[in-house]
Amino acid sequence: RLHSEVELESIGCLIVDEVHERDVYTDFVLLLIREAMKAGRMQHLKIVLMSATLKADDFARYFECVNGDLALKPVHIPGRMFAVQDYYFEDACEWLGFCPPLPRVGGSRKGKGKDRGRDDDRQKPDDDDLWKIYDAIKDCDLAIGRPGEERVDDYGETALTACWCWRESEVYIDLICDLVLYFHMKQPKGDGAILVFLPGWGDISKTFIQLYQSGENFQIITLHSLMTPEQQQEAFERPDKGKTKVVLSTNIAEASVT
């Protein structure tokens, strides 16, 4: 838009939502707007920065050089807060006994015939590897109310090995589906809906098919940018009696629908 309308004359108010995510596009547009206003341009434009977790004072100070003493104070709008318990990959692996495939010796070498998938083709962690994972969990205090040194002894060898095998770029569809089945059947947190965030449509499709083929009483809803607002609204409706609602979504559920 800035290419075709440098001063944004037709826009009276620019709203930047989820500003706390600090992605390159958000930071760049804020920099452009601030520098333009410092140069005396875009004086007609009002800017609203929105976020549920924003450190508002930091962003207010960022625009002080534009507004000076006229800078408005941040506006806090109260909303409903829900108690959240956070669990991590190692917790899920411990609950389910899940472990990703061990990496192959020598990288991506693939076996053939009888040799394909043999255990001796796989690299296994030694004691030093597992102790490193143990120490990393022990030093991690991200889980609210669950410091690492208190929970680290809850994890067995399978969970520690799973952490050693974990790859950042991998989407573990099997683990996701097993977790959904676990929450559906065991109901450790009640009988509420289940929201699953996935990177894109391909992973949503794979997860949908696997959950559908499980034969469980799921009401599966997909959310992505190609869906109409009417279709997106289904995510907010109560499921049929006796069914568990499972919403498979990209980040549209955070950035757009809500």
Side-chain angles (χ1 to χ4, degrees):
R1 186 65 173 266
L2 286 169
H3 285 290
S4 59
E5 192 177 345
V6 178
E7 299 294 330
L8 299 178
E9 296 92 348
S10 64
I11 297 176
C13 182
L14 177 65
I15 300 176
V16 184
D17 197 8
E18 303 293 351
V19 74
H20 66 277
E21 292 186 357
R22 299 297 306 277
D23 62 73
V24 64
Y25 301 107
T26 300
D27 283 0
F28 189 61
V29 74
L30 292 181
L31 174 63
L32 286 177
I33 297 298
R34 188 185 74 157
E35 294 305 305
M37 288 183 165
K38 284 172 62 177
R41 298 158 46 209
M42 298 186 185
Q43 296 298 305
H44 67 288
L45 190 64
K46 294 181 175 63
I47 301 177
V48 178
L49 307 180
M50 296 173 56
S51 171
T53 59
L54 171 67
K55 292 183 178 179
D57 291 334
D58 292 345
F59 286 88
R61 285 194 295 270
Y62 185 72
F63 281 94
E64 271 183 352
C65 60
V66 175
N67 292 329
D69 295 336
L70 299 177
L72 296 177
K73 299 297 181 183
V75 176
H76 174 68
I77 302 174
R80 297 174 64 189
M81 297 294 290
F82 297 89
V84 175
Q85 293 176 295
D86 50 343
Y87 296 90
Y88 295 92
F89 180 76
E90 57 267 25
D91 295 299
C93 292
E94 181 66 28
W95 298 336
L96 303 172
F98 175 86
C99 184
L102 294 169
R104 290 186 179 277
V105 175
S108 60
R109 180 172 60 86
K110 295 182 179 179
K112 295 182 179 179
K114 294 181 180 179
D115 292 334
R116 186 173 184 179
R118 291 190 320 178
D119 286 344
D120 55 5
D121 282 342
R122 302 289 180 174
Q123 180 182 355
K124 299 179 181 179
D126 57 27
D127 289 344
D128 288 340
D129 294 324
L130 295 183
W131 276 114
K132 289 178 183 177
I133 298 296
Y134 180 95
D135 291 337
I137 295 175
K138 185 178 180 180
D139 293 337
C140 177
D141 292 330
L142 292 176
I144 299 173
R146 301 170 60 232
E149 62 181 9
E150 292 183 9
R151 61 188 176 92
V152 67
D153 290 322
D154 295 338
Y155 307 120
E157 183 177 347
T158 299
L160 297 177
T161 302
C163 293
W164 181 80
C165 294
W166 177 80
R167 297 294 179 266
E168 184 177 1
S169 60
E170 187 75 23
V171 179
Y172 298 105
I173 301 295
D174 289 343
L175 174 60
I176 292 170
C177 293
D178 287 349
L179 267 177
V180 171
L181 287 166
Y182 173 78
F183 285 117
H184 168 65
M185 299 174 72
K186 301 288 186 180
Q187 295 189 356
K189 302 298 179 182
D191 59 352
I194 300 171
L195 172 61
V196 182
F197 284 106
L198 292 157
W201 175 243
D203 294 311
I204 288 178
S205 299
K206 293 175 186 176
T207 307
F208 182 99
I209 292 171
Q210 196 161 324
L211 289 176
Y212 179 80
Q213 292 177 340
S214 71
E216 293 294 331
N217 289 326
F218 291 135
Q219 188 161 325
I220 308 173
I221 298 168
T222 59
L223 278 180
H224 54 92
S225 59
L226 299 179
M227 298 183 67
T228 66
E230 291 75 20
Q231 291 172 318
Q232 294 175 7
Q233 186 60 33
E234 293 180 14
F236 298 97
E237 297 174 357
R238 289 188 176 276
D240 299 333
K241 188 174 181 180
K243 289 193 174 184
T244 297
K245 179 170 64 175
V246 181
V247 180
L248 308 177
S249 176
T250 61
N251 64 356
I252 189 175
E254 178 187 9
S256 299
V257 177
T258 57

